[in-house]
Structures are given as structure tokens and as C-alpha cells.
Amino acid sequence: MKTSIIKGIGYYVPENIVKNKDLEKIMDTSDEWIQERTGIRERRWVLENSDESTSSMGTEAAKKAIDNAGISHDQIDFIIFATLSPDYFFPGSGVLIQRNLGLKEVGALDIRNQCSGFIYALSIADQYIKSGMYKNILIVGSELHSGGLEKSTRGRNVSVIFGDGAGAVILQASDDLEKGIMSTHLHSEGKYAEELAVISPATKKWIDKLVEDPDEDGSSYAPYMNGNFVFKNAVVRFMEVINEALVKNNLTKEAIDLLIPHQANLRISQFVQKQLALPNEKVYNNIMKYGNTTAASIPIALAEVIEKDMLNEGDVLCLAAFGSGFTWGSALIRW
Ligand code: UT7
């Protein structure tokens, strides 16, 4: 029997910082509104005309994670890539990582579970490791949102929130059953698929239809979010799925040493923190600096936590996410 441990971690964010004040120049918004409703002060957006991409950022994060794990490229058995903003409609970005890193011809799987993509990826990788199939799995969460956002007053409720960046981990098989992933919990509710979605491009709505359609105003190519509705569902599902993980492991909320919630909105994290009665030092947030980086948000936050030496051996780490789909999930990890 094996368990899965996070052996290496790395992250990459583009250099270009976009402050709320910068957004005031291109849309009807304000630093005050953004900070009050979301907690965000700034985010990273790749420079227009830069050659950065979702896969290139993911590659940088992956290199750091591999280095940090102290393994060679040849030891990677499988790639899982989570993103909602892939380089191409197809193929997925996993194969681009395989190419960019010059890896062996290992399997590459793409995950399309948006904000909970990293938790889904972790859960799948954990099963492969526990079954004995693979020893080292590279998981990447990367998003280049900025290119797809509607940076105007029409798109302001979405565009001020999302940022670019990537995080990666090496999940490794271990014989020490006292450590590693204790359990993962995954859910979906497709009846709300369109409440947070980008509808096009889609095989049902391809370029010829777009050109033919006199009513097409480009909005179906921009992310749509029913913000209030998503918010209300998020706070309920975060709590449910964290409690599910605690119950599964016969633990109570006091056992959580560190919670890293997916960075969707600081108000959501604070609500969850309050419900769990956790002190500030037990909840890690960095949305202030990066905005919502979707599949990258948890690995970026975890990488910063490790950098800051905030986790000790034996600590119980809780990860939880909710987002488009709707999909949501949690993971409990004994560090
Ligand atoms: O990670 C995936 C999951 N995503 C989430 O969990 C996000 C969940 N939702 C949210 O975070 C919040 O709903 C938002 C931050 C998106 C919006 O905050 P809100 O408090 O729900 O605001 P609202 O949508 O109710 O909008 C309030 C007002 C509206 O104006 P009126 O109708 O009251 O005149 C909006 O038009 O704020 C307006 N507004 C803005 N004003 C300035 C919306 N976006 C902006 C903006 N700047 N960027």
C-alpha cells in the first residue's frame, strides 16, 4: 500500500502587475469597489503581444516543482494539466508540457474542471499512486485569463477578478502511511453550467455561425458569471465539502492546521473561515496579489505557504474549491 505526498512544488506568475487603478482607466470601475467586493488589489496579466501562454507558464512552474522534488525528468510517469484557458481548443495543454519539458512519451491528461480543476487533478493522481500504477505524477494548474477577458464596462464584473499564473506539484508515492493525502471529495451540479461559463467557441457555435449571425455581439466569447448566485452557492458548497472531508477522517474543524481555499473572492474565504471558527493564521489567502487564477490558485498559494515555512510535519492541510460547472471538491493532507 502506498500513499501520495506532495514532494515538490513551484509557481510562476507573469511580471506585469495590473493594479485596480489601472483598470479604472479602461472601464467604469474603482479600486474601492474591487477591494470591498473581492479583496483584490492587483493581479498579473501577461503583456499583450508577449509570447507567454498557458502552457509556457505551466512549464515554468513545472520546472520549479521538478527541481524542488529533486527528481529527474525521466522519473515523471504521468502528466495532469488543469486549465480552463488552454493554448488551443485542442489538443490539450498536457501534451505541450510533455513537449516543452522534453519528457518521455508518458500519458498526458487534461482536466476541465475550472476552479476545482486542481483538486480534481490531485484526486485522480492520488488514485493512480495508491493503485501502484505510477510513482511520480506532474500536476499543473495554469491559466492565461487576460487574453479572454472582456476588458470593458460590459465585462467588468468578471474581468476585474481574474488573473494569470501557474502552479505545479509533483505527487509522489510514499511508504509512510502516516503522511500524504488522506482523502479527496469531488462533486458537480451541471444544472448550473451556464451560471459561470464561456459558451463559445463550441462545436455548436463555430466560426461560420458567428459570421452569419447578425445578433452576434461577441458576448458569448467572453466569460459570463451570475456573480451573486455563484457566491451564494460557493459559500454553502465550500462548507459542505470541507465538513465531508473532516467526517470521512473522523476529525473536527479544530484539527485543521491550515486551510487553503481556492482564491475566488476574499469575502468567500472569510465567510468559510468564520463558519469554521479558524484564526487568521490558519487560513491562507493571496487573492489580494493575484486575483482569481482558477486552476492555478491552490498550487500557487501552497507554493507560497511552503516558501514561508508555514507547514510543519504532521500538520493537517485542507484544500477546498468551488467554481464553474458547478464543480467543487476538497482534499485533506497530512503534511
Ligand atoms: O472562482 C469561481 C467562482 N467564482 C466566485 O465564486 C465569484 C462569486 N461572486 C463574486 O465574487 C461576486 O458576486 C462579485 C465580486 C462578482 C460581484 O460582487 P457582488 O457584491 O455580488 O456585486 P453585484 O454583482 O451584485 O453587483 C453590484 C453592483 C451592480 O450595480 P447595480 O446594479 O447595483 O447598479 C454592478 O453592475 O456593482 C456593479 N459592478 C461593478 N461596479 C464597479 C459589477 N462589477 C463592477 C465593477 N466595478 N467591476
Side-chain angles (χ1 to χ4, degrees), residues 121-255:
L122 202 63
S123 180
I124 293 167
D126 184 38
Q127 308 318 309
Y128 276 135
I129 284 176
K130 286 189 174 138
S131 74
M133 187 159 171
Y134 296 129
K135 286 201 178 84
N136 288 297
I137 299 181
L138 168 63
I139 303 175
V140 181
S142 180
E143 305 284 1
L144 196 156
H145 284 306
S146 57
L149 296 172
E150 197 172 25
K151 301 181 193 99
S152 65
T153 300
R154 185 172 77 170
R156 67 182 179 176
N157 74 319
V158 173
S159 56
V160 302
I161 294 174
F162 290 93
D164 302 338
V169 302
I170 297 292
L171 202 69
Q172 187 173 74
S174 164
D175 294 317
D176 183 353
L177 301 185
E178 299 296 308
K179 283 188 187 169
I181 297 181
M182 298 153 80
S183 64
T184 54
H185 307 270
L186 308 177
H187 295 280
S188 73
E189 194 175 29
K191 76 175 167 182
Y192 297 130
E194 286 79 19
E195 301 294 343
L196 175 46
V198 174
I199 302 301
S200 304
T203 39
K204 250 182 84 181
K205 199 164 193 233
W206 207 246
I207 301 299
D208 55 344
K209 300 231 177 53
L210 174 72
V211 174
E212 273 168 22
D213 187 350
D215 295 329
E216 179 55 67
D217 61 357
S219 56
S220 70
Y221 282 77
Y224 166 78
M225 176 163 72
N226 182 351
N228 269 297
F229 188 73
V230 175
F231 192 105
K232 283 179 192 140
N233 278 268
V235 289
V236 172
R237 297 308 194 182
F238 262 106
M239 285 311 301
E240 276 178 12
V241 80
I242 292 170
N243 282 326
E244 184 182 352
L246 291 171
V247 168
K248 170 78 184 171
N249 293 284
N250 291 319
L251 295 173
T252 58
K253 54 189 173 32
E254 292 74 23

Side-chain angles (χ1 to χ4, degrees), residues 231-240 242 259 261 265-278 283 285:
F231 192 105
K232 283 179 192 140
N233 278 268
V235 289
V236 172
R237 297 308 194 182
F238 262 106
M239 285 311 301
E240 276 178 12
I242 292 170
L259 169 69
N265 183 321
L266 191 60
R267 284 162 57 212
I268 295 177
S269 295
Q270 286 166 342
F271 181 91
V272 173
Q273 174 178 352
K274 203 166 163 200
Q275 296 287 304
L276 292 168
L278 292 174
V283 184
N285 291 303

